[in-house]
């Protein structure tokens, strides 16, 4: 028998022991209670990137499973705080958070957008430095032509002019631009808000963490697409500076190669290759992913699903897949709860 602190009344509930050859069917369902998913794409959705559920259904399923909190992302328009507030009103009994992703829809590094998001709807719980509209990601997006991958920047001059030119970039040296400095100061002035590095390059990630530390930002999360481009040693160095490292089920269980636009309405800009070109093959499965987390230290990680798209499992099922897969790798119940409960609760002040 093992024990895990469960949310009902604060008591300690005894859980069945589990070994590789003696596995319980219901332990993943027990362990999902009280957990939080830090990364859910909740919608609304682009026609070019359909969702699996609407945000109310996502919250209702998570509540029914006994989960504690959800973090909603909107990587298209950028602000999920309004959705978070509406869902909180309609689905009481589970915490719903939102934030702002600095998309080019919002003008990229736009301090006014950050100021507004901090007080709009539920209020931003995070400031994220760009998903599919960072310069790094946009530079790696493309499609197959005659069976060969071709980048959009090499195929469409309009893409370079209208999109790549406006994509989010973090300067690697020199003076900090006024807009970036103002955003960093806004985050520092709101200690309940965490900085998420976004889908930037490895070099930009390191620079952004260093700047965040200089500005006195207390809570820093290295986004999972940025993390997998860092070496294990680089991740250890960022963790030593106080940054949390994000892991997602989509790192190792995702439908890469399907034509999908997470950001653009143009049919010809449906990406097929960025997930392949910008992520190392070493993270194509859960075994090296989990092994690296152990090497760095589980205390440095927050883990979510990154689910919500139509072609993936529901977020709740994604969390169950994560928990059951870690059990198969002989993570203890306590270790799993540290990743999807304890560390996340500290980040979100739950």
């Amino acid at each position: 028998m093992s024990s895990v602190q469960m949310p009902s009344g604060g008591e300690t509930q005894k859980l069945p022991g589990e070994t590789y050859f003696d596995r319980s069917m219901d332990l993943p369902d027990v362990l999902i209670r009280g957990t939080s998913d830090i990364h859910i794409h909740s919608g609304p959705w682009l026609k070019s990137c359909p969702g699996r559920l609407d945000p109310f259904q996502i919250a209702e399923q998570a509540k029914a499973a006994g989960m504690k909190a959800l973090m909603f992302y909107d990587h298209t328009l950028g602000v999920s705080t309004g959705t978070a507030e509406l869902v909180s009103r309609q689905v009481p009994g589970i915490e719903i958070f939102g934030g702002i992703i600095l998309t080019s829809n919002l003008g990229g590094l736009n301090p006014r957008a950050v100021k507004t998001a901090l007080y709009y709807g539920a209020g931003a719980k995070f400031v994220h430095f760009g998903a599919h509209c960072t310069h790094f990601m946009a530079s790696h997006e493309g499609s197959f032509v005659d069976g060969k991958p071709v980048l959009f920047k090499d195929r469409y001059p309009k893409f370079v002019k209208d999109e790549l030119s406006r994509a989010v970039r973090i300067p690697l040296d020199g003076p900090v631009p006024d807009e970036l400095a103002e955003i960093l100061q806004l985050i520092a002035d709101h200690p309940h808000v965490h900085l998420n590095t976004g889908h930037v390059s490895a070099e930009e990630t390191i620079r952004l963490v260093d700047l965040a530390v200089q500005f006195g930002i207390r809570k820093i999360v290295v986004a999972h697409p940025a993390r997998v481009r860092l070496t294990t040693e680089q991740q250890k160095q960022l963790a030593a500076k106080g940054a949390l490292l994000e892991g997602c089920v989509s790192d190792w269980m995702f439908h890469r190669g399907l034509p999908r636009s997470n950001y653009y309405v143009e049919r010809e800009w449906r990406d097929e290759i960025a997930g392949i070109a910008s992520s190392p093959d070493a993270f194509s499965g859960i075994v090296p992913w989990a092994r690296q987390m152990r090497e760095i230290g589980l205390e440095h990680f927050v883990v979510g699903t990154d689910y919500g798209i139509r072609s993936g499992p529901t977020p709740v099922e994604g969390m169950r897949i994560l928990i059951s897969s870690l059990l198969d790798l002989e993570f203890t119940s306590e270790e799993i709860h540290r990743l999807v409960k304890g560390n996340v609760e500290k980040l979100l002040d739950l």
Side-chain angles (χ1 to χ4, degrees):
M1 299 285 286
S2 63
S3 64
V4 173
Q5 194 73 23
M6 301 302 290
S8 53
E11 73 274 14
T12 298
Q13 177 180 335
K14 293 294 183 180
L15 298 174
E18 181 166 307
T19 66
Y20 189 81
F21 290 106
D22 183 17
R23 308 187 197 196
S24 58
M25 291 179 63
D26 59 348
L27 184 53
D29 297 310
V30 174
L31 289 179
I32 203 172
R33 291 171 50 205
T35 63
S36 300
D37 191 339
I38 198 172
H39 194 144
I40 292 178
H41 292 279
S42 61
W45 299 90
L46 278 178
K47 297 295 185 183
S48 52
C49 184
R52 176 70 183 269
L53 301 169
D54 68 40
F56 301 97
Q57 293 170 315
I58 292 171
E60 288 164 353
Q61 288 190 1
K63 178 183 176 182
M67 293 182 67
K68 186 170 188 175
L70 306 176
M71 180 79 79
F72 283 174
Y73 276 41
D74 185 332
H75 58 197
T76 304
L77 285 181
V79 180
S80 54
T81 57
T83 302
E85 181 183 45
L86 294 174
V87 174
S88 293
R89 288 176 176 270
Q90 292 298 312
V91 190
I94 183 169
E95 299 263 15
I96 309 292
F97 300 104
I100 180 171
I101 298 177
L102 295 171
T103 68
S104 50
N105 274 326
L106 298 173
L109 297 177
N110 182 351
R112 172 54 62 188
V114 174
K115 288 178 184 178
T116 302
L118 288 169
Y119 298 97
Y120 178 70
K125 198 73 169 178
F126 65 86
V127 176
H128 183 292
F129 279 77
H132 300 277
C133 59
T134 64
H135 192 274
F136 181 86
M137 284 298 297
S139 296
H140 286 83
E141 291 181 326
S143 56
F144 287 94
V145 179
D146 297 328
K148 297 180 180 180
V150 179
L151 297 173
F152 293 147
K153 68 177 184 177
D154 297 331
R155 187 179 182 189
Y156 299 111
K158 183 176 175 57
F159 183 84
V160 176
K161 175 178 177 293
D162 294 345
E163 302 302 331
L164 201 58
S165 64
R166 297 187 295 120
V168 173
R169 303 182 80 167
I170 306 299
L172 298 181
D173 50 33
V176 179
D178 292 343
E179 294 83 1
L180 176 56
E182 187 174 353
I183 291 169
L184 293 172
Q185 191 59 56
L186 282 167
I187 302 171
D189 291 343
H190 295 80
H192 66 287
V193 175
H194 66 265
L195 178 151
N196 186 302
T197 64
H199 299 199
V200 296
S201 68
E203 295 78 13
E204 289 174 294
T205 298
I206 294 169
R207 170 70 164 161
L208 192 51
V209 170
D210 286 342
L211 288 174
V213 172
Q214 291 175 26
F215 274 77
I217 295 173
R218 292 179 49 238
K219 297 180 179 182
I220 307 165
V221 174
V222 176
H224 69 112
R227 182 183 69 81
V228 300
R229 291 188 283 270
L230 296 164
T231 67
T232 298
E233 186 57 37
Q234 287 173 323
Q235 292 180 55
K236 288 180 178 179
Q237 292 170 2
L238 295 184
K241 296 176 181 179
L244 286 168
L245 307 170
E246 182 187 33
C248 284
V249 181
S250 65
D251 292 334
W252 46 271
M253 189 173 177
F254 196 72
H255 306 292
R256 289 177 172 84
L258 288 180
R260 181 184 298 112
S261 173
N262 298 289
Y263 189 66
Y264 309 111
V265 300
E266 292 85 353
R267 181 181 177 87
E268 64 270 23
W269 293 349
R270 295 182 303 161
D271 174 60
E272 296 176 312
I273 66 175
I276 301 170
S278 63
S279 297
D281 292 338
F283 290 86
S284 59
I286 188 175
V287 174
W289 182 86
R291 183 186 299 121
Q292 188 185 62
M293 283 200 303
R294 279 204 179 281
E295 180 178 350
I296 295 170
L298 302 186
E299 68 274 17
H300 300 301
F301 281 85
V302 287
V303 179
T305 64
D306 191 23
Y307 279 170
I309 63 170
R310 184 175 68 180
S311 58
T314 64
V316 166
E317 184 58 25
M319 183 61 72
R320 191 187 185 283
I321 290 170
L322 170 63
I323 291 171
S324 58
S325 298
L326 291 176
L327 286 170
D328 285 351
L329 292 176
E330 300 190 75
F331 279 62
T332 67
S333 298
E334 291 82 2
E335 289 174 328
I336 293 170
H337 261 208
R338 171 168 237 176
L339 291 170
V340 294
K341 186 176 186 297
N343 293 351
V344 177
E345 289 180 358
K346 291 179 181 178
L347 177 67
L348 300 180
D349 299 316
L350 296 177

